[in-house]
Amino acid sequence: MSALDEITKEKQRVSEALARLDAQREKLTGQLSALEATERVLARYSKGTRANETAPAITPTTTTNATTPARSRGRPRTTTVKIAARKPSLPSLADQVLALATGKTQQEIAAACKGARPNHVGAALSRHKRAGRIEERDGKLYAIQSTRTEQQAAL
């Protein structure tokens, strides 16, 4: 029974160590992103020689450069990280507009799409109308069920 207790204690010790490492990794990731942002600002506003001097000093200290492919000279790497890290929490504007087309006017749909500009809502509506997914009857918009969706529902 003592061997089982030792195993349990060892598992607990290892899990605590992993938790500490995860917390430290998150802290260092935050610091690294802050340093990268500072580096971009300095590169933008300082003279070219100053930015070139700091870049080689920072490059060897990062451990991720060996595992990541070489970057192009275009956009900074953090923008791609932000895009990959973004959570798809909300449906797209086109999906929101299509879901709201249940006998509402264009103004009501635009008001229901919080944070979206009215001209963007109008553009999404016109795309849906052209594609035949929304039709207008008596000034109100209605979503049309496609025959493919109905056929899939029948199966």
Side-chain angles (χ1 to χ4, degrees):
M1 204 60 171
S2 64
L4 186 59
D5 292 338
E6 289 178 19
I7 291 172
T8 305
K9 287 180 183 177
E10 186 68 18
K11 280 176 61 177
Q12 184 177 5
R13 187 185 65 78
V14 169
S15 64
E16 289 172 355
L18 283 173
R20 283 193 304 272
L21 285 174
D22 284 340
Q24 186 178 11
R25 182 176 54 89
E26 290 296 322
K27 177 182 171 188
L28 290 174
T29 302
Q31 290 176 349
L32 180 62
S33 64
L35 286 173
E36 287 175 346
T38 305
E39 181 183 7
R40 285 193 309 272
V41 169
L42 285 174
R44 180 180 290 169
Y45 292 110
S46 64
K47 298 192 187 280
T49 57
R50 180 78 174 143
N52 291 337
E53 289 174 7
T54 59
I58 293 174
T59 304
T61 59
T62 59
T63 59
T64 58
N65 285 342
T67 60
T68 58
R71 291 189 281 185
S72 64
R73 294 252 176 196
R75 302 174 105 179
R77 181 178 60 91
T78 56
T79 57
T80 57
V81 171
K82 287 179 186 175
I83 292 171
R86 186 177 5 161
K87 296 179 184 176
S89 59
L90 293 177
S92 67
L93 180 61
D95 293 337
Q96 288 178 2
V97 166
L98 191 59
L100 289 169
T102 56
K104 294 182 180 177
T105 63
Q106 182 171 346
Q107 288 80 15
E108 291 171 339
I109 292 174
C113 293
K114 302 266 190 229
R117 295 173 55 183
N119 58 325
H120 292 176
V121 174
L125 280 169
S126 65
R127 284 192 299 270
H128 284 307
K129 286 178 186 177
R130 261 185 271 128
R133 292 184 290 262
I134 291 180
E135 68 178 13
E136 187 172 355
R137 288 180 264 152
D138 299 327
K140 298 197 185 244
L141 300 167
Y142 296 93
I144 299 173
Q145 288 284 339
S146 68
T147 57
R148 190 178 346 162
T149 307
E150 292 172 357
Q151 288 174 356
Q152 289 175 351
L155 295 176

